[in-house]
């Protein structure tokens, strides 16, 4: 008896979200199958890959990444160089210097940097905060205004500050709202509900459901993403049908396996190779679990992940 394969495509779909404007605009989401299940149905919008720089410029980057930006004197110079690396679909600017417990850079200084970077590049933009909920409410509110007309992702609104960021980014300036929760399907769903009740269009929301570097409690990340995609597709839960964007870089380049020097850990081998490996492993895992876009830092990681996506989709 001949075998007839049963299609695993679903009647439900992940929302399609467009980021950026013009010829360089990208789309994420839109699939009605599980990650990379192209044998069930075509995946219209392949996952996208972004590259991250921070307001600190070269200051806090490992030497192996500094070497890739040789000759760049400013953050704007780095932005121009970053978007030329192979495989880059969008640029992410992390405003980590705004943290009151760190550099505590002023909102005015950082928003001017956002404007300068936006003027220097024509690719889609993601602006990430400093992870301090109070400062981010102020920073990302102003960033949404500064990027009016760019259809940027403002990452991220949390339960503690979603009203300010959601109203500014999602309503007043028509940006994409990044909804950040802490590796829990119920928290992710709750925040999406709160944002849509505020008036933000569900098709203008991208989720950051949380992540970790591979090996650091990563099973929670995988199980959360799996459950979210299953609920969105098999149960047609429209409160979880937002595409997922995952900032991998900020997690990976903070763990000892990626940053410990060869002098300190000679048995671990080349520090650059370790960092790239950790970033690729983590990005591959979150993509296989359902992420629609990843943010990386090392150009070799970007190139490798982009090649992987191209081969699989």
């Amino acid at each position: 008896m001949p075998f007839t394969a049963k299609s695993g495509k679903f009647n439900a779909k992940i929302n399609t979200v467009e980021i950026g404007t013009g010829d360089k605009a990208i789309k994420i989401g839109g699939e009605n199958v599980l990650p990379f299940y192209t044998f069930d149905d075509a995946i219209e919008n392949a996952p996208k890959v972004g590259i991250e720089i921070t307001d600190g410029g070269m200051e806090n980057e490992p030497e192996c990444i500094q070497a890739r930006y040789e000759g760049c004197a400013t953050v704007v110079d780095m932005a121009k160089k970053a978007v030329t690396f192979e495989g880059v679909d969008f640029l992410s600017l992390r405003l980590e210097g705004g943290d009151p417990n760190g550099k505590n850079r002023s909102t005015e200084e950082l928003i001017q940097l956002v404007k300068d970077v936006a003027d220097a590049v024509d690719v889609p933009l993601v602006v990430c905060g400093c992870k301090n909920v109070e400062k981010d409410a102020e920073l990302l509110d102003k960033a949404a205004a500064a990027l009016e007309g760019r259809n940027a992702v403002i990452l991220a609104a949390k339960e503690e500050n979603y009203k300010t960021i959601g109203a500014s980014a999602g309503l007043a300036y028509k940006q994409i709202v990044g909804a950040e929760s802490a590796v829990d399907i119920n928290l992710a769903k709750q925040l999406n509900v709160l944002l849509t009740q505020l008036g933000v269009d569900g098709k203008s929301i991208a989720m950051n459901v949380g992540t970790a570097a591979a090996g650091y409690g990563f099973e929670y990340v995988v199980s959360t993403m799996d459950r979210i995609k299953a609920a969105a597709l098999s149960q047609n839960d429209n409160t979880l049908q937002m595409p997922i964007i995952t900032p991998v870089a900020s997690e990976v380049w903070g763990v000892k396996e990626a940053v410990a020097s060869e002098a300190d850990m000679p048995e671990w081998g080349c520090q650059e190779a370790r960092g790239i490996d950790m970033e690729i492993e983590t990005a591959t895992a979150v993509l296989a679990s359902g992420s629609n876009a990843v943010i990386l830092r090392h150009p070799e990681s970007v190139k490798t992940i982009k090649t992987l996506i191209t081969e699989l989709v």
Side-chain angles (χ1 to χ4, degrees), residues 230-246:
L233 294 174
S234 66
Q235 299 172 27
N236 197 17
D237 187 340
N238 62 11
T239 65
L240 290 170
Q241 288 174 343
M242 294 73 171
I244 297 173
I245 182 168
T246 307

Side-chain angles (χ1 to χ4, degrees), residues 182-216:
V183 198
D184 185 298
I185 185 174
N186 295 312
L187 294 177
K189 181 170 182 172
Q190 177 178 310
L191 184 52
N192 290 339
V193 169
L194 291 172
L195 283 165
T196 53
Q197 287 179 343
L198 186 66
V200 178
D201 185 347
K203 295 182 179 179
S204 294
I205 297 174
M207 296 185 289
N208 170 17
V209 300
T211 190
Y216 283 79

